[in-house]
Amino acid sequence: MKYIKFALYLLVIHWLSSAAAGAYEDFFQATRVDNPSVVRALLARGFDPNAVDEKGQPALTLALRDGSRQVGEMLLAHPAIQVDQANVAGETPLMMALLKGHTGMARRLIERGAAINRPGWSPLHYAASGPDAGLVQVLIERGAAIDARSPNGTTPLMMAAQYGPEDAVQLLIARKADASQRND
């Protein structure tokens, strides 16, 4: 009898861990392919909207990176979402929205309290190298450090000059970004 109870216990533990693993995989697959119905159902069952995938990507950052707009909107609307949750590279959802040019999401993240300034790579670095110079303006108006320095000394102006639109370069220079700075 003791062995039967133990075997049943192991069976239940295996079933529970398999169910949890399935939900985890389903959640991140649905996030990657922008399937809001699966994400909505899992969130309703108590799945953590701040879970990270096997590569350390929070679901909201992953949705923004992969262009999963419906899932991104759903996650951002969730009351428990952590808008400044960074991935393993230190990137936040705001940084990803800025880089990918998701203007509406970037604005909503800012409204929800996403940090405008961060040590190291800042949201302004990402906005300066993204496609929408208007987001550079939004961040500056909200108090972004115009000459923020990354760990290797790169400034937003350097990022704009290398990767961003010409409008971003002109805007940063007009706002007195220090063009004499040098990185490592």
Side-chain angles (χ1 to χ4, degrees):
M1 187 64 156
K2 191 188 289 186
Y3 295 109
I4 294 173
K5 285 183 180 178
F6 183 69
L8 284 173
Y9 171 77
L10 288 178
L11 185 61
V12 168
I13 294 299
H14 174 71
W15 179 79
L16 288 174
S17 65
S18 296
Y24 176 86
E25 292 162 357
D26 291 348
F27 181 79
F28 283 103
Q29 179 59 25
T31 299
R32 286 181 187 94
V33 300
D34 202 19
N35 185 336
S37 62
V38 170
V39 172
R40 184 179 301 110
L42 289 167
L43 291 173
R45 290 186 0 218
F47 196 86
D48 182 5
N50 299 301
V52 297
D53 74 2
E54 68 281 354
K55 294 181 180 175
Q57 289 289 344
L60 182 54
T61 303
L62 183 67
L64 291 165
R65 184 195 76 191
D66 292 350
S68 297
R69 293 179 189 262
Q70 294 177 77
V71 169
E73 294 285 350
M74 182 183 306
L75 290 169
L76 183 57
H78 196 282
I81 198 70
Q82 296 172 7
V83 295
D84 280 328
Q85 182 182 15
N87 64 15
V88 295
E91 298 166 321
T92 64
L94 176 59
M95 294 162 114
M96 193 57 61
L98 295 164
L99 180 66
K100 296 294 186 168
H102 300 310
T103 304
M105 284 294 283
R107 290 177 185 273
R108 284 191 292 290
L109 282 159
I110 292 167
E111 289 167 10
R112 288 275 314 261
I116 300 296
N117 290 300
R118 296 176 49 85
W121 293 100
S122 73
L124 189 55
H125 286 99
Y126 282 68
S129 58
D132 186 351
L135 291 171
V136 171
Q137 176 76 25
V138 168
L139 291 176
I140 292 170
E141 288 172 357
R142 299 281 181 127
I146 198 159
D147 289 318
R149 296 184 60 86
S150 75
N152 71 357
T154 299
T155 65
L157 179 58
M158 292 175 203
M159 294 299 291
Q162 183 72 29
Y163 305 106
E166 186 176 329
D167 293 354
V169 174
Q170 293 171 348
L171 175 61
L172 288 163
I173 289 172
R175 291 299 189 105
K176 309 289 187 233
D178 186 353
S180 70
Q181 294 288 325
R182 301 284 181 258
N183 62 12
D184 295 348

